[in-house]
Structure formats: C-alpha cells, structure tokens
Amino acid sequence: MGIKSFQGKRAAPEKPQHVPMLVKDYMSTNLVTFMEHENIMDVAEKLIANKISGGCVVDENHKLIGLISEGDCMKQISDSRYYNMPMDDATVKKRMTCNVETIDGNMNIMDAAKLFIEKRFRRFPIVEYGKLVGQLSQSDVLRAASRLKANDWHP
C-alpha cells in the first residue's frame, strides 16, 4: 500500500488575466485649452497658474487645430524683446504648432509609452469624431506603469 497525501488535489495555478491598459483609461479629460486669438502673455499666465507646460488649441466647436507650449511662449517673448516689437498682436495662431500628431484612445498605454520615447513629445491629444476628448502626458503613462507588476507587466 502506498503513501497517501492528506493535502488533497492541488488546483492549477491561476494564470493572471491580461487586462488591456488603454490610453482612454489614463488620459486627462479636464483640459486647459486655448483659442488661436489668445495673446501669448495670457497663455503664459494660464500655463503658470495651472502648472502645465502646454496645451491644445481648439476652435469654437472644440476641434483640435494646434498645440501651444511654454517654449512657444518663450520664443515669442524673446523675439519681441530682441527686436523691440510690441506683444499686443502676439497670438497663439502665430506661434502654435499646427501639424499635431494624435493617438487613439483605444491604444495600449505601453504602445503610447514607446511613442513618447520615439517622438520625444510631452503630450498627445486624443480626438474622437473630430473633437478633442483628452490628452495623454508622460506623467499619465508613468501613473499607469506604477499600477503594473514589475515582473510580468500585467495589471
């Protein structure tokens, strides 16, 4: 007669379920946005007040038309001081980046992280049906990564 175990039958170890981590789950939706007619100095003040480095430029229908950053504002201020030009007509339209690269809200957050590294961008707008719905920043990606288990990169 053989030795019997009193532990009972062992269940197979559970495989962790892979739950996709999507951009739309981590993007910011309460955005500070700008209009192209705004003065650069007003934009700079909003950036400082909201502790952000840039933001999306939208039209009256909330359609994305560009991005404006601290660097864009600094360039305008520097040029105005250097060339002794007034700042009254220094608008977002004259300094914003117009060819904006966007990402899909259904993209995996780790694929977005790779894009941040490749493109060296600080933010990616997310557009649905032509309208701005959110923005993903590098800190949003870091927040998502902090929820991952270091060993298997699954939530």
Short mmCIF file of all heavy atoms in Angstrom, two decimals, residues 88-153:
data_model
loop_
_atom_site.label_atom_id
_atom_site.label_comp_id
_atom_site.label_asym_id
_atom_site.label_seq_id
_atom_site.Cartn_x
_atom_site.Cartn_y
_atom_site.Cartn_z
N ASP A 88 1.31 93.14 -28.22
CA ASP A 88 -0.15 93.23 -28.36
C ASP A 88 -0.72 92.27 -29.39
O ASP A 88 -1.80 91.73 -29.22
CB ASP A 88 -0.56 94.66 -28.73
CG ASP A 88 -0.17 95.66 -27.66
OD1 ASP A 88 0.06 95.24 -26.50
OD2 ASP A 88 -0.09 96.87 -27.98
N ASP A 89 -0.01 92.09 -30.49
CA ASP A 89 -0.52 91.23 -31.56
C ASP A 89 0.11 89.83 -31.56
O ASP A 89 0.00 89.09 -32.52
CB ASP A 89 -0.33 91.90 -32.92
CG ASP A 89 1.14 92.06 -33.28
OD1 ASP A 89 1.99 91.99 -32.37
OD2 ASP A 89 1.43 92.28 -34.47
N ALA A 90 0.75 89.47 -30.47
CA ALA A 90 1.37 88.15 -30.34
C ALA A 90 0.30 87.14 -29.93
O ALA A 90 -0.04 87.01 -28.77
CB ALA A 90 2.50 88.19 -29.32
N THR A 91 -0.23 86.43 -30.92
CA THR A 91 -1.32 85.50 -30.66
C THR A 91 -0.86 84.05 -30.75
O THR A 91 0.19 83.74 -31.32
CB THR A 91 -2.46 85.71 -31.67
OG1 THR A 91 -1.97 85.46 -32.98
CG2 THR A 91 -3.05 87.11 -31.56
N VAL A 92 -1.69 83.19 -30.22
CA VAL A 92 -1.45 81.75 -30.28
C VAL A 92 -1.31 81.30 -31.73
O VAL A 92 -0.43 80.50 -32.06
CB VAL A 92 -2.60 81.00 -29.58
CG1 VAL A 92 -2.53 79.51 -29.85
CG2 VAL A 92 -2.58 81.27 -28.08
N LYS A 93 -2.15 81.83 -32.61
CA LYS A 93 -2.14 81.44 -34.01
C LYS A 93 -0.76 81.61 -34.64
O LYS A 93 -0.34 80.80 -35.47
CB LYS A 93 -3.17 82.24 -34.80
CG LYS A 93 -3.29 81.82 -36.23
CD LYS A 93 -4.40 82.57 -36.95
CE LYS A 93 -4.55 82.05 -38.37
NZ LYS A 93 -5.72 82.61 -39.03
N LYS A 94 -0.04 82.64 -34.24
CA LYS A 94 1.27 82.92 -34.82
C LYS A 94 2.37 81.99 -34.30
O LYS A 94 3.42 81.87 -34.93
CB LYS A 94 1.66 84.38 -34.55
CG LYS A 94 0.78 85.36 -35.29
CD LYS A 94 1.19 86.78 -34.99
CE LYS A 94 0.28 87.76 -35.74
NZ LYS A 94 0.64 89.14 -35.47
N ARG A 95 2.16 81.34 -33.16
CA ARG A 95 3.21 80.54 -32.54
C ARG A 95 2.88 79.06 -32.35
O ARG A 95 3.76 78.27 -32.06
CB ARG A 95 3.59 81.13 -31.17
CG ARG A 95 4.36 82.40 -31.26
CD ARG A 95 5.72 82.14 -31.87
NE ARG A 95 6.46 83.38 -31.96
CZ ARG A 95 7.66 83.48 -32.47
NH1 ARG A 95 8.27 82.42 -32.94
NH2 ARG A 95 8.26 84.64 -32.53
N MET A 96 1.62 78.68 -32.51
CA MET A 96 1.25 77.29 -32.22
C MET A 96 1.81 76.33 -33.26
O MET A 96 2.10 76.70 -34.39
CB MET A 96 -0.27 77.16 -32.15
CG MET A 96 -0.99 77.32 -33.46
SD MET A 96 -2.77 77.19 -33.22
CE MET A 96 -3.33 77.29 -34.92
N THR A 97 1.94 75.09 -32.86
CA THR A 97 2.29 74.00 -33.77
C THR A 97 0.99 73.53 -34.39
O THR A 97 0.03 73.20 -33.67
CB THR A 97 2.95 72.84 -32.99
OG1 THR A 97 4.12 73.33 -32.36
CG2 THR A 97 3.28 71.68 -33.90
N CYS A 98 0.94 73.50 -35.71
CA CYS A 98 -0.32 73.17 -36.40
C CYS A 98 -0.44 71.70 -36.79
O CYS A 98 -1.52 71.14 -36.74
CB CYS A 98 -0.48 74.03 -37.65
SG CYS A 98 -0.68 75.78 -37.26
N ASN A 99 0.63 71.08 -37.19
CA ASN A 99 0.58 69.68 -37.60
C ASN A 99 0.72 68.80 -36.37
O ASN A 99 1.82 68.39 -36.00
CB ASN A 99 1.68 69.37 -38.62
CG ASN A 99 1.48 70.13 -39.90
OD1 ASN A 99 0.35 70.33 -40.33
ND2 ASN A 99 2.56 70.56 -40.52
N VAL A 100 -0.41 68.52 -35.74
CA VAL A 100 -0.42 67.83 -34.46
C VAL A 100 -0.61 66.33 -34.66
O VAL A 100 -1.52 65.90 -35.37
CB VAL A 100 -1.55 68.38 -33.56
CG1 VAL A 100 -1.57 67.66 -32.22
CG2 VAL A 100 -1.39 69.88 -33.37
N GLU A 101 0.25 65.56 -34.03
CA GLU A 101 0.11 64.11 -34.07
C GLU A 101 -0.76 63.69 -32.88
O GLU A 101 -0.49 64.05 -31.74
CB GLU A 101 1.48 63.45 -33.98
CG GLU A 101 1.45 62.01 -34.36
CD GLU A 101 2.83 61.45 -34.65
OE1 GLU A 101 3.72 62.20 -35.03
OE2 GLU A 101 2.99 60.23 -34.48
N THR A 102 -1.79 62.92 -33.17
CA THR A 102 -2.70 62.44 -32.14
C THR A 102 -2.57 60.94 -31.99
O THR A 102 -1.96 60.27 -32.84
CB THR A 102 -4.16 62.79 -32.48
OG1 THR A 102 -4.54 62.09 -33.67
CG2 THR A 102 -4.35 64.29 -32.68
N ILE A 103 -3.12 60.40 -30.90
CA ILE A 103 -3.16 58.96 -30.72
C ILE A 103 -4.60 58.55 -30.42
O ILE A 103 -5.42 59.37 -30.03
CB ILE A 103 -2.20 58.46 -29.63
CG1 ILE A 103 -2.49 59.11 -28.28
CG2 ILE A 103 -0.76 58.65 -30.03
CD1 ILE A 103 -1.68 58.55 -27.13
N ASP A 104 -4.87 57.27 -30.58
CA ASP A 104 -6.20 56.72 -30.38
C ASP A 104 -6.41 56.37 -28.90
O ASP A 104 -5.51 55.82 -28.26
CB ASP A 104 -6.35 55.46 -31.24
CG ASP A 104 -7.76 54.94 -31.29
OD1 ASP A 104 -8.31 54.59 -30.23
OD2 ASP A 104 -8.33 54.88 -32.39
N GLY A 105 -7.57 56.66 -28.39
CA GLY A 105 -7.89 56.34 -27.01
C GLY A 105 -7.89 54.85 -26.71
O GLY A 105 -7.74 54.44 -25.56
N ASN A 106 -8.03 54.01 -27.75
CA ASN A 106 -8.03 52.57 -27.56
C ASN A 106 -6.64 51.94 -27.71
O ASN A 106 -6.50 50.73 -27.65
CB ASN A 106 -8.99 51.91 -28.56
CG ASN A 106 -10.43 52.25 -28.22
OD1 ASN A 106 -10.85 52.15 -27.08
ND2 ASN A 106 -11.17 52.70 -29.22
N MET A 107 -5.63 52.79 -27.86
CA MET A 107 -4.25 52.30 -27.94
C MET A 107 -3.80 51.80 -26.57
O MET A 107 -4.16 52.37 -25.54
CB MET A 107 -3.33 53.43 -28.41
CG MET A 107 -1.86 53.07 -28.42
SD MET A 107 -0.81 54.50 -28.83
CE MET A 107 -0.82 54.36 -30.61
N ASN A 108 -2.99 50.75 -26.56
CA ASN A 108 -2.42 50.25 -25.31
C ASN A 108 -1.46 51.31 -24.75
O ASN A 108 -0.70 51.92 -25.49
CB ASN A 108 -1.68 48.94 -25.57
CG ASN A 108 -1.12 48.35 -24.31
OD1 ASN A 108 -0.17 48.87 -23.73
ND2 ASN A 108 -1.70 47.26 -23.87
N ILE A 109 -1.50 51.51 -23.46
CA ILE A 109 -0.70 52.55 -22.80
C ILE A 109 0.80 52.31 -23.00
O ILE A 109 1.58 53.27 -23.10
CB ILE A 109 -1.07 52.66 -21.30
CG1 ILE A 109 -0.62 54.00 -20.72
CG2 ILE A 109 -0.53 51.52 -20.49
CD1 ILE A 109 -1.54 55.12 -20.97
N MET A 110 1.22 51.05 -23.10
CA MET A 110 2.65 50.78 -23.29
C MET A 110 3.09 51.11 -24.72
O MET A 110 4.23 51.49 -24.95
CB MET A 110 2.99 49.33 -22.93
CG MET A 110 2.86 49.03 -21.44
SD MET A 110 3.96 50.08 -20.46
CE MET A 110 2.80 50.99 -19.46
N ASP A 111 2.17 50.97 -25.67
CA ASP A 111 2.47 51.41 -27.04
C ASP A 111 2.60 52.93 -27.08
O ASP A 111 3.45 53.47 -27.79
CB ASP A 111 1.40 50.94 -28.02
CG ASP A 111 1.38 49.41 -28.17
OD1 ASP A 111 2.44 48.79 -27.97
OD2 ASP A 111 0.30 48.87 -28.48
N ALA A 112 1.77 53.59 -26.31
CA ALA A 112 1.86 55.06 -26.21
C ALA A 112 3.19 55.45 -25.57
O ALA A 112 3.82 56.42 -26.00
CB ALA A 112 0.69 55.62 -25.41
N ALA A 113 3.63 54.71 -24.57
CA ALA A 113 4.92 55.00 -23.92
C ALA A 113 6.05 54.93 -24.94
O ALA A 113 6.95 55.78 -24.95
CB ALA A 113 5.17 54.01 -22.78
N LYS A 114 5.98 53.94 -25.81
CA LYS A 114 7.00 53.79 -26.85
C LYS A 114 6.99 55.01 -27.79
O LYS A 114 8.04 55.50 -28.18
CB LYS A 114 6.77 52.50 -27.62
CG LYS A 114 7.86 52.19 -28.61
CD LYS A 114 7.66 50.85 -29.27
CE LYS A 114 8.80 50.61 -30.24
NZ LYS A 114 8.58 49.54 -31.14
N LEU A 115 5.80 55.49 -28.12
CA LEU A 115 5.70 56.68 -28.97
C LEU A 115 6.30 57.91 -28.31
O LEU A 115 6.94 58.73 -28.96
CB LEU A 115 4.24 56.96 -29.33
CG LEU A 115 3.65 56.16 -30.47
CD1 LEU A 115 2.19 56.52 -30.68
CD2 LEU A 115 4.43 56.40 -31.76
N PHE A 116 6.08 58.05 -27.00
CA PHE A 116 6.67 59.18 -26.27
C PHE A 116 8.19 59.15 -26.40
O PHE A 116 8.84 60.18 -26.58
CB PHE A 116 6.27 59.17 -24.79
CG PHE A 116 4.97 59.85 -24.50
CD1 PHE A 116 3.87 59.12 -24.12
CD2 PHE A 116 4.85 61.23 -24.60
CE1 PHE A 116 2.66 59.75 -23.84
CE2 PHE A 116 3.65 61.87 -24.33
CZ PHE A 116 2.55 61.12 -23.95
N ILE A 117 8.76 57.97 -26.28
CA ILE A 117 10.22 57.82 -26.37
C ILE A 117 10.71 58.12 -27.79
O ILE A 117 11.67 58.86 -27.97
CB ILE A 117 10.64 56.41 -25.92
CG1 ILE A 117 10.34 56.23 -24.43
CG2 ILE A 117 12.11 56.16 -26.22
CD1 ILE A 117 10.36 54.79 -23.95
N GLU A 118 10.02 57.56 -28.77
CA GLU A 118 10.43 57.74 -30.17
C GLU A 118 10.28 59.18 -30.64
O GLU A 118 11.15 59.72 -31.31
CB GLU A 118 9.61 56.83 -31.09
CG GLU A 118 9.92 55.36 -30.93
CD GLU A 118 8.95 54.47 -31.69
OE1 GLU A 118 7.99 54.98 -32.33
OE2 GLU A 118 9.13 53.24 -31.64
N LYS A 119 9.16 59.80 -30.31
CA LYS A 119 8.84 61.13 -30.83
C LYS A 119 9.38 62.26 -29.96
O LYS A 119 9.46 63.40 -30.40
CB LYS A 119 7.32 61.30 -30.97
CG LYS A 119 6.65 60.28 -31.83
CD LYS A 119 6.93 60.54 -33.28
CE LYS A 119 6.13 59.57 -34.14
NZ LYS A 119 6.25 59.87 -35.54
N ARG A 120 9.68 61.95 -28.72
CA ARG A 120 10.16 62.95 -27.75
C ARG A 120 9.14 64.07 -27.52
O ARG A 120 9.48 65.23 -27.35
CB ARG A 120 11.52 63.50 -28.18
CG ARG A 120 12.58 62.42 -28.31
CD ARG A 120 13.93 62.96 -28.66
NE ARG A 120 14.42 63.87 -27.66
CZ ARG A 120 15.26 63.56 -26.68
NH1 ARG A 120 15.73 62.34 -26.61
NH2 ARG A 120 15.66 64.46 -25.83
N PHE A 121 7.85 63.70 -27.54
CA PHE A 121 6.77 64.64 -27.26
C PHE A 121 6.47 64.65 -25.77
O PHE A 121 6.75 63.69 -25.06
CB PHE A 121 5.49 64.25 -28.01
CG PHE A 121 5.55 64.41 -29.51
CD1 PHE A 121 4.60 63.81 -30.30
CD2 PHE A 121 6.54 65.15 -30.13
CE1 PHE A 121 4.63 63.94 -31.68
CE2 PHE A 121 6.59 65.30 -31.51
CZ PHE A 121 5.62 64.69 -32.28
N ARG A 122 5.83 65.71 -25.32
CA ARG A 122 5.40 65.79 -23.92
C ARG A 122 3.94 65.42 -23.76
O ARG A 122 3.49 65.11 -22.67
CB ARG A 122 5.61 67.21 -23.39
CG ARG A 122 7.05 67.56 -23.19
CD ARG A 122 7.14 68.91 -22.53
NE ARG A 122 8.52 69.19 -22.20
CZ ARG A 122 8.86 70.07 -21.29
NH1 ARG A 122 7.96 70.75 -20.64
NH2 ARG A 122 10.12 70.28 -21.03
N ARG A 123 3.18 65.51 -24.85
CA ARG A 123 1.75 65.24 -24.78
C ARG A 123 1.25 64.76 -26.13
O ARG A 123 1.80 65.12 -27.16
CB ARG A 123 0.98 66.47 -24.33
CG ARG A 123 1.02 67.62 -25.31
CD ARG A 123 0.58 68.95 -24.74
NE ARG A 123 1.36 69.40 -23.62
CZ ARG A 123 2.57 69.97 -23.72
NH1 ARG A 123 3.13 70.15 -24.88
NH2 ARG A 123 3.22 70.36 -22.65
N PHE A 124 0.20 63.94 -26.09
CA PHE A 124 -0.51 63.52 -27.29
C PHE A 124 -1.99 63.80 -27.08
O PHE A 124 -2.59 63.30 -26.13
CB PHE A 124 -0.36 62.01 -27.55
CG PHE A 124 0.94 61.61 -28.19
CD1 PHE A 124 1.93 61.02 -27.44
CD2 PHE A 124 1.15 61.81 -29.55
CE1 PHE A 124 3.12 60.62 -28.03
CE2 PHE A 124 2.34 61.41 -30.15
CZ PHE A 124 3.32 60.82 -29.38
N PRO A 125 -2.60 64.59 -27.95
CA PRO A 125 -4.05 64.77 -27.87
C PRO A 125 -4.78 63.52 -28.36
O PRO A 125 -4.25 62.76 -29.18
CB PRO A 125 -4.32 65.94 -28.82
CG PRO A 125 -2.99 66.55 -29.09
CD PRO A 125 -1.98 65.47 -28.93
N ILE A 126 -5.99 63.33 -27.85
CA ILE A 126 -6.85 62.24 -28.28
C ILE A 126 -8.11 62.88 -28.87
O ILE A 126 -8.76 63.70 -28.20
CB ILE A 126 -7.22 61.28 -27.12
CG1 ILE A 126 -5.97 60.51 -26.63
CG2 ILE A 126 -8.24 60.25 -27.59
CD1 ILE A 126 -5.17 61.21 -25.61
N VAL A 127 -8.42 62.52 -30.10
CA VAL A 127 -9.54 63.11 -30.83
C VAL A 127 -10.51 62.00 -31.21
O VAL A 127 -10.09 60.93 -31.63
CB VAL A 127 -9.04 63.84 -32.10
CG1 VAL A 127 -10.18 64.36 -32.94
CG2 VAL A 127 -8.09 64.96 -31.73
N GLU A 128 -11.81 62.27 -31.01
CA GLU A 128 -12.85 61.36 -31.46
C GLU A 128 -13.85 62.14 -32.29
O GLU A 128 -14.32 63.20 -31.84
CB GLU A 128 -13.58 60.72 -30.27
CG GLU A 128 -12.81 59.63 -29.59
CD GLU A 128 -13.60 59.00 -28.45
OE1 GLU A 128 -14.82 59.25 -28.34
OE2 GLU A 128 -12.99 58.26 -27.67
N TYR A 129 -14.17 61.64 -33.45
CA TYR A 129 -15.12 62.29 -34.35
C TYR A 129 -14.77 63.76 -34.58
O TYR A 129 -15.63 64.63 -34.60
CB TYR A 129 -16.55 62.14 -33.83
CG TYR A 129 -16.93 60.70 -33.57
CD1 TYR A 129 -17.07 60.23 -32.26
CD2 TYR A 129 -17.11 59.81 -34.62
CE1 TYR A 129 -17.38 58.90 -32.02
CE2 TYR A 129 -17.43 58.49 -34.38
CZ TYR A 129 -17.57 58.04 -33.09
OH TYR A 129 -17.88 56.72 -32.86
N GLY A 130 -13.48 64.03 -34.69
CA GLY A 130 -13.00 65.38 -34.99
C GLY A 130 -12.90 66.31 -33.80
O GLY A 130 -12.44 67.43 -33.94
N LYS A 131 -13.30 65.87 -32.63
CA LYS A 131 -13.27 66.75 -31.45
C LYS A 131 -12.27 66.25 -30.41
O LYS A 131 -12.10 65.05 -30.22
CB LYS A 131 -14.65 66.85 -30.82
CG LYS A 131 -15.64 67.51 -31.75
CD LYS A 131 -16.92 67.83 -31.07
CE LYS A 131 -17.86 68.39 -32.13
NZ LYS A 131 -18.71 69.39 -31.69
N LEU A 132 -11.65 67.19 -29.75
CA LEU A 132 -10.69 66.87 -28.69
C LEU A 132 -11.44 66.27 -27.50
O LEU A 132 -12.39 66.87 -26.99
CB LEU A 132 -9.97 68.15 -28.24
CG LEU A 132 -8.96 68.00 -27.12
CD1 LEU A 132 -7.76 67.19 -27.58
CD2 LEU A 132 -8.52 69.37 -26.63
N VAL A 133 -11.03 65.07 -27.07
CA VAL A 133 -11.68 64.42 -25.93
C VAL A 133 -10.73 64.20 -24.76
O VAL A 133 -11.16 63.91 -23.65
CB VAL A 133 -12.33 63.07 -26.32
CG1 VAL A 133 -13.46 63.28 -27.30
CG2 VAL A 133 -11.29 62.09 -26.86
N GLY A 134 -9.42 64.35 -25.00
CA GLY A 134 -8.48 64.12 -23.92
C GLY A 134 -7.05 64.37 -24.37
O GLY A 134 -6.79 64.72 -25.51
N GLN A 135 -6.17 64.17 -23.41
CA GLN A 135 -4.74 64.34 -23.68
C GLN A 135 -3.98 63.37 -22.79
O GLN A 135 -4.30 63.20 -21.62
CB GLN A 135 -4.34 65.78 -23.36
CG GLN A 135 -2.87 66.06 -23.51
CD GLN A 135 -2.58 67.52 -23.23
OE1 GLN A 135 -2.75 68.35 -24.10
NE2 GLN A 135 -2.16 67.82 -22.03
N LEU A 136 -2.98 62.73 -23.36
CA LEU A 136 -2.13 61.83 -22.60
C LEU A 136 -0.77 62.48 -22.45
O LEU A 136 -0.17 62.90 -23.43
CB LEU A 136 -1.98 60.48 -23.32
CG LEU A 136 -1.29 59.40 -22.51
CD1 LEU A 136 -2.22 58.89 -21.41
CD2 LEU A 136 -0.83 58.26 -23.40
N SER A 137 -0.32 62.56 -21.21
CA SER A 137 1.00 63.13 -20.94
C SER A 137 1.94 62.01 -20.48
O SER A 137 1.50 60.90 -20.18
CB SER A 137 0.90 64.20 -19.84
OG SER A 137 0.56 63.59 -18.61
N GLN A 138 3.20 62.34 -20.41
CA GLN A 138 4.17 61.37 -19.92
C GLN A 138 3.85 60.96 -18.49
O GLN A 138 4.00 59.79 -18.13
CB GLN A 138 5.57 61.95 -20.02
CG GLN A 138 6.04 62.13 -21.43
CD GLN A 138 7.42 62.75 -21.53
OE1 GLN A 138 8.05 63.08 -20.54
NE2 GLN A 138 7.90 62.92 -22.75
N SER A 139 3.38 61.89 -17.66
CA SER A 139 3.05 61.54 -16.28
C SER A 139 1.85 60.59 -16.21
O SER A 139 1.76 59.77 -15.31
CB SER A 139 2.82 62.79 -15.43
OG SER A 139 1.75 63.55 -15.92
N ASP A 140 0.93 60.68 -17.17
CA ASP A 140 -0.19 59.73 -17.23
C ASP A 140 0.32 58.32 -17.49
O ASP A 140 -0.16 57.35 -16.91
CB ASP A 140 -1.19 60.12 -18.33
CG ASP A 140 -1.89 61.45 -18.07
OD1 ASP A 140 -2.14 61.77 -16.90
OD2 ASP A 140 -2.18 62.15 -19.06
N VAL A 141 1.31 58.21 -18.36
CA VAL A 141 1.91 56.90 -18.67
C VAL A 141 2.63 56.36 -17.43
O VAL A 141 2.50 55.18 -17.10
CB VAL A 141 2.88 56.98 -19.86
CG1 VAL A 141 3.62 55.66 -20.06
CG2 VAL A 141 2.13 57.37 -21.13
N LEU A 142 3.34 57.21 -16.72
CA LEU A 142 4.03 56.78 -15.50
C LEU A 142 3.03 56.32 -14.44
O LEU A 142 3.28 55.35 -13.72
CB LEU A 142 4.91 57.90 -14.94
CG LEU A 142 6.12 58.25 -15.79
CD1 LEU A 142 6.86 59.45 -15.18
CD2 LEU A 142 7.06 57.07 -15.94
N ARG A 143 1.90 57.01 -14.36
CA ARG A 143 0.85 56.62 -13.40
C ARG A 143 0.34 55.22 -13.75
O ARG A 143 0.14 54.38 -12.87
CB ARG A 143 -0.28 57.65 -13.43
CG ARG A 143 -1.34 57.46 -12.39
CD ARG A 143 -2.26 58.67 -12.27
NE ARG A 143 -2.63 59.28 -13.53
CZ ARG A 143 -3.73 58.97 -14.23
NH1 ARG A 143 -4.55 58.04 -13.80
NH2 ARG A 143 -4.00 59.58 -15.37
N ALA A 144 0.14 54.95 -15.03
CA ALA A 144 -0.32 53.63 -15.47
C ALA A 144 0.75 52.57 -15.17
O ALA A 144 0.42 51.49 -14.68
CB ALA A 144 -0.64 53.65 -16.96
N ALA A 145 2.00 52.89 -15.45
CA ALA A 145 3.08 51.93 -15.23
C ALA A 145 3.24 51.59 -13.76
O ALA A 145 3.61 50.46 -13.42
CB ALA A 145 4.39 52.49 -15.78
N SER A 146 2.94 52.53 -12.88
CA SER A 146 3.08 52.27 -11.45
C SER A 146 2.05 51.24 -10.96
O SER A 146 2.23 50.64 -9.92
CB SER A 146 2.96 53.56 -10.64
OG SER A 146 1.63 54.04 -10.65
N ARG A 147 1.01 51.01 -11.74
CA ARG A 147 0.00 50.02 -11.38
C ARG A 147 0.36 48.62 -11.86
O ARG A 147 -0.32 47.65 -11.55
CB ARG A 147 -1.35 50.42 -11.96
CG ARG A 147 -1.87 51.72 -11.36
CD ARG A 147 -3.28 51.99 -11.75
NE ARG A 147 -4.15 50.91 -11.30
CZ ARG A 147 -5.29 50.59 -11.88
NH1 ARG A 147 -5.70 51.26 -12.93
NH2 ARG A 147 -6.03 49.62 -11.43
N LEU A 148 1.40 48.53 -12.65
CA LEU A 148 1.78 47.24 -13.21
C LEU A 148 2.71 46.50 -12.26
O LEU A 148 3.49 47.09 -11.53
CB LEU A 148 2.49 47.45 -14.54
CG LEU A 148 1.68 48.13 -15.63
CD1 LEU A 148 2.56 48.40 -16.84
CD2 LEU A 148 0.49 47.30 -16.03
N LYS A 149 2.64 45.19 -12.33
CA LYS A 149 3.59 44.36 -11.57
C LYS A 149 4.88 44.33 -12.35
O LYS A 149 4.91 44.03 -13.54
CB LYS A 149 3.02 42.96 -11.39
CG LYS A 149 1.77 42.95 -10.55
CD LYS A 149 1.21 41.55 -10.46
CE LYS A 149 -0.09 41.57 -9.71
NZ LYS A 149 -0.82 40.32 -9.81
N ALA A 150 5.97 44.60 -11.68
CA ALA A 150 7.27 44.71 -12.35
C ALA A 150 7.70 43.43 -13.04
O ALA A 150 8.40 43.47 -14.04
CB ALA A 150 8.33 45.15 -11.33
N ASN A 151 7.29 42.28 -12.54
CA ASN A 151 7.78 41.03 -13.11
C ASN A 151 7.16 40.65 -14.44
O ASN A 151 7.81 40.12 -15.31
CB ASN A 151 7.54 39.86 -12.12
CG ASN A 151 8.38 40.03 -10.89
OD1 ASN A 151 9.41 40.73 -10.91
ND2 ASN A 151 7.97 39.42 -9.79
N ASP A 152 5.86 40.87 -14.60
CA ASP A 152 5.23 40.39 -15.82
C ASP A 152 4.55 41.48 -16.64
O ASP A 152 4.00 41.21 -17.69
CB ASP A 152 4.24 39.27 -15.49
CG ASP A 152 3.13 39.72 -14.56
OD1 ASP A 152 2.98 40.94 -14.33
OD2 ASP A 152 2.39 38.85 -14.08
N TRP A 153 4.56 42.69 -16.19
CA TRP A 153 3.96 43.81 -16.88
C TRP A 153 2.48 43.60 -17.17
O TRP A 153 1.96 44.05 -18.16
CB TRP A 153 4.72 44.15 -18.16
CG TRP A 153 6.02 44.78 -17.84
CD1 TRP A 153 7.23 44.17 -17.79
CD2 TRP A 153 6.26 46.13 -17.45
NE1 TRP A 153 8.20 45.05 -17.41
CE2 TRP A 153 7.63 46.26 -17.21
CE3 TRP A 153 5.44 47.26 -17.30
CZ2 TRP A 153 8.21 47.46 -16.80
CZ3 TRP A 153 6.02 48.44 -16.90
CH2 TRP A 153 7.38 48.54 -16.66
#
